[in-house]
Amino acid sequence: MADRCATSARWPATTGRGLEGDDVPLNEVTRDFFARPVLQVAPELLGCTVSHAGVTVRLTEVEAYDGSNDPGSHAFRGVTARTRVMFGEPGHLYVYFTYGMHWCANLVCGSSGVASGVLMRAGEVVDGLDLARSRRAGVRDRDLARGPARLAKTLALGRDDNGVDVCSPSGAFVVRAPFRDPPTGSSGARVRTGPRVGISGLGGDATAYPWRFWLEGEATVSVYREGAVRRPRAVDQPTGR
């Protein structure tokens, strides 16, 4: 699938201490980072790590969703019981159930009252590998968090994590960014952009919404697939003479 090359991600202003043993210091992301337009936040999350329930994943692929400005967003038609957290304070998790079997997780950004969020699509497990393997037994390490539902399962995210404040000093879910100067991807990779995975209709327009971002050359990035076109069910017509 053709894509466009964006500029290298710029790491956010951060505070805090890194993970013990890291070659590159990692710092906790502040709420100010999330309180910005989603198209700024999304590419800058690439290379950041997210930690929960004993596992840490380095993000290699994300997608941006811009609420009322985006027909691909759950919040396109306004506030519902499901999307209420997206309209709240930035820096919280929006966790939703899909296909009757999977959980997926977004990081809410923008400003309160205006929904937007970044779907964590894929990443590399960089800490807690044995625990991650136990949660997704029988799959290759590359595939442990290769896809949004896989990532959520690897991090043990579910219904109870919807609305969790990821900026809380005592929070169970932590977002950290490598501290580098000059800013580059954590592996020196370039950020690529293209259409979002599995989105049909207007929100799947590759020209209008090239809002999937990934690190070039990363094996954990998921495979692109177009959204399925929903066709109306055929209705049996009455027969007669």
Side-chain angles (χ1 to χ4, degrees):
M1 183 73 188
D3 59 72
R4 302 183 306 192
C5 185
T7 58
S8 296
R10 294 177 58 84
W11 297 118
T14 57
T15 60
R17 296 178 57 82
L19 293 173
E20 184 177 353
D22 284 335
D23 294 330
V24 178
L26 289 168
N27 299 273
E28 293 185 18
V29 173
T30 66
R31 197 174 311 282
D32 286 344
F33 169 69
F34 294 106
R36 298 179 298 145
V38 68
L39 293 179
Q40 292 181 25
V41 176
E44 293 181 18
L45 279 168
L46 293 171
C48 291
T49 63
V50 291
S51 303
H52 183 257
V55 173
T56 298
V57 171
R58 180 177 65 90
L59 296 175
T60 60
E61 181 185 5
V62 297
E63 289 178 346
Y65 290 88
D66 196 20
S68 61
N69 300 313
D70 179 4
S73 172
H74 290 172
F76 180 58
R77 300 190 184 281
V79 182
T80 66
R82 183 193 199 193
T83 64
R84 189 174 305 280
V85 68
M86 290 189 71
F87 289 85
E89 183 181 42
H92 289 250
L93 281 178
Y94 165 51
V95 182
Y96 66 92
F97 199 51
T98 184
Y99 296 117
M101 64 182 76
H102 300 303
W103 295 98
C104 297
N106 295 254
L107 292 162
V108 176
C109 52
S111 56
S112 296
V114 182
S116 63
V118 179
L119 174 67
M120 296 180 286
R121 266 211 67 85
E124 174 194 10
V125 176
V126 294
D127 193 36
L129 185 57
D130 288 341
L131 187 53
R133 287 168 176 164
S134 72
R135 291 172 182 162
R136 300 207 63 242
V139 304
R140 292 183 291 179
D141 289 351
R142 181 199 69 174
D143 296 328
L144 288 170
R146 192 185 187 205
R150 295 172 177 180
L151 184 149
K153 186 172 182 179
T154 293
L155 291 172
L157 294 172
R159 185 193 311 275
D160 292 342
D161 301 299
N162 187 45
V164 162
D165 185 354
V166 306
C167 302
S168 171
S170 59
F173 190 98
V174 179
V175 183
R176 294 185 175 93
F179 182 79
R180 289 178 178 271
D181 187 21
T184 64
S186 60
S187 61
R190 300 289 287 181
V191 176
R192 310 295 299 194
T193 70
R196 296 172 295 194
V197 175
I199 302 297
S200 59
L202 293 177
D205 186 324
T207 301
Y209 303 99
W211 291 355
R212 174 178 170 241
F213 303 88
W214 69 95
L215 291 177
E216 184 177 49
E218 291 282 350
T220 55
V221 173
S222 60
V223 177
Y224 174 76
R225 70 178 190 282
E226 294 182 355
V229 177
R230 296 183 179 180
R231 294 183 173 84
R233 292 182 179 180
V235 178
D236 293 334
Q237 297 296 324
T239 58
R241 295 173 185 253

